[in-house]
Amino acid sequence: MNKKKIISVVGARPNFMKIAPILLELSKHAEKFDSRLVHTGQHYDQAMSEVFFRDLGMKEPDHNLSVGSGSHAVQTAEIMKRFEEVCLQEDPDLVLVGGDVNSTVACSLTAVKMLIPVAHVEAGLRSFDRTMPEEINRIVTDSISDLLFTTEISGNCNLSKEGVAEEKIHLVGNTMIDSLVRFSGQIANGGPPRVRTLAGKRYFLATIHRPSNVDDAEQLAKVLLILESASDLLPVLFVAHPRTRERLRKLGRGDRFVEIKGEMGEIRPGCVYLLPPLSYVDFLYAMSRTTAVLTDSGGIQEETTFLRIPCLTLRENTERPITVEVGSNEIVGLDQARILSALSGITEGRWKKTSLPPLWDGKAAERIVSVINAWC
Ligand code: UD1
């Protein structure tokens, strides 16, 4: 059999931990697959990209498109232009994209127009909120993909309702959880130097970066107030994405905020510790030991479900309903009273009983590669 050439695409931080397990699995079948990696360069800061390659042991990309930041149209168009060149040069049999970022939609659109089949990992998720750029990216990517790999059953239902043929849809589990399973040994022992001092401490962990929460000054002010009030219960570690940090710089912040640049030292209630983006392993270590997470991230809702850590999602909806139905997640918006009451309950040990979603067992990438193999 001729080897099949597969181009996998990464671009933004949440892509790396979702695609790494698939690359690993493809490399185990090197006699069948010629695996190439493209990094669009949507995320380019060392802390948003390079450290993840190191932590996850990913190979150097075969092509780096270095697109950088821009408006949605500019970023998407720039990726398409540069990815088209790569496809012309490589002539792949399949393009594999993950998640819902601009790189996902840009590369899938480029590929299908060149009659190259597309596989979408994490297909079918829907928040039903079209003001989210990710929702548009998900709908478009799913509507043009040939293989749709879902993480939870809601994905299958959404795709069926949208008229996607059943034979294209494969419930395989969650490759982000594959990475988590792979690294759980590392985070159980010792701990990485930067955050090692968190062992045995009680704290809340916060990450907020959605445009709807940080781009509007009024919304961001509400978020900051919530974090400050939460810190009355336990110290808050606020890990800030570059987008959030930029907005904070403009808005200013109260005197409860303490900037941490290097290793974590002592932490105390009444303070919100502002941290730069952490590496994959540092973040997992901090997340696996926290009392609760406050977030608007998609992936963290899933990781906390797997780790059984209480998660409050500061949004009005989730595209990952399984994390609420069986997992440790609750959707709380920016309702300060509700959030503080939930946090106070959690600190006293009151939270719902949870279980793990089907197939979140660390073997999703194995299933994906086996489906691709059969499809080839
Ligand atoms: C992107 C994804 C979002 C995902 C998030 C995870 C889209 C539409 N959004 O949002 O779904 O949750 O990544 O991190 O694709 N910046 C830097 N350094 C970087 C990257 C970005 O400083 O390495 C700054 C730039 O000022 C840039 C801004 O962050 O303009 C936003 O970056 P962008 O890639 O447009 O979207 P994210 O907010 O990161």
Side-chain angles (χ1 to χ4, degrees), residues 160-268:
S160 297
K161 278 189 205 142
E162 289 170 20
V164 176
E166 293 300 317
E167 63 270 21
K168 290 184 176 178
I169 311 171
H170 304 270
L171 179 62
V172 290
N174 193 325
T175 58
M176 189 172 227
I177 301 304
D178 290 9
S179 285
L180 189 45
V181 169
R182 181 174 154 218
F183 285 92
S184 50
Q186 257 192 57
I187 54 168
N189 307 318
R194 183 167 199 171
V195 285
R196 193 178 285 155
T197 55
L198 293 175
K201 304 253 168 66
R202 297 190 84 205
Y203 57 89
F204 299 131
L205 185 64
T207 79
I208 303 288
H209 74 282
R210 294 254 154 251
S212 57
N213 277 334
V214 303
D215 285 1
D216 179 85
E218 215 171 291
Q219 292 294 100
L220 181 56
K222 275 193 203 166
V223 170
L224 298 185
L225 205 58
I226 288 169
L227 299 185
E228 287 182 302
S229 332
S231 77
D232 285 336
L233 292 166
L234 289 180
V236 174
L237 268 50
F238 182 19
V239 183
H241 179 282
R243 174 193 280 282
T244 311
R245 184 157 295 259
E246 175 63 18
R247 303 296 189 263
L248 277 175
R249 202 179 53 76
K250 289 193 183 136
L251 185 71
R253 47 183 203 256
D255 39 1
R256 285 192 183 207
F257 285 79
V258 180
E259 182 96 45
I260 304 285
K261 292 215 168 92
E263 292 177 16
M264 288 298 305
E266 282 308 308
I267 50 174
R268 56 189 170 79

Side-chain angles (χ1 to χ4, degrees), residues 246-295:
E246 175 63 18
R247 303 296 189 263
L248 277 175
R249 202 179 53 76
K250 289 193 183 136
L251 185 71
R253 47 183 203 256
D255 39 1
R256 285 192 183 207
F257 285 79
V258 180
E259 182 96 45
I260 304 285
K261 292 215 168 92
E263 292 177 16
M264 288 298 305
E266 282 308 308
I267 50 174
R268 56 189 170 79
C271 293
V272 180
Y273 296 90
L274 191 59
L275 281 84
L278 294 179
S279 75
Y280 182 62
V281 174
D282 287 355
F283 189 79
L284 284 190
Y285 187 83
M287 180 166 52
S288 62
R289 280 163 177 75
T290 188
T291 303
V293 170
L294 296 114
T295 194

Side-chain angles (χ1 to χ4, degrees), residues 12-14 42-45 48 69-70 72 75 100-103 133-134 137 209-210 241-243:
R13 186 169 58 177
Q42 176 174 346
H43 284 174
Y44 44 86
D45 280 359
M48 296 292 287
S69 302
H72 285 276
Q75 192 175 55
D100 53 17
V101 300
N102 286 346
S103 301
E134 294 81 4
N137 293 344
H209 74 282
R210 294 254 154 251
H241 179 282
R243 174 193 280 282

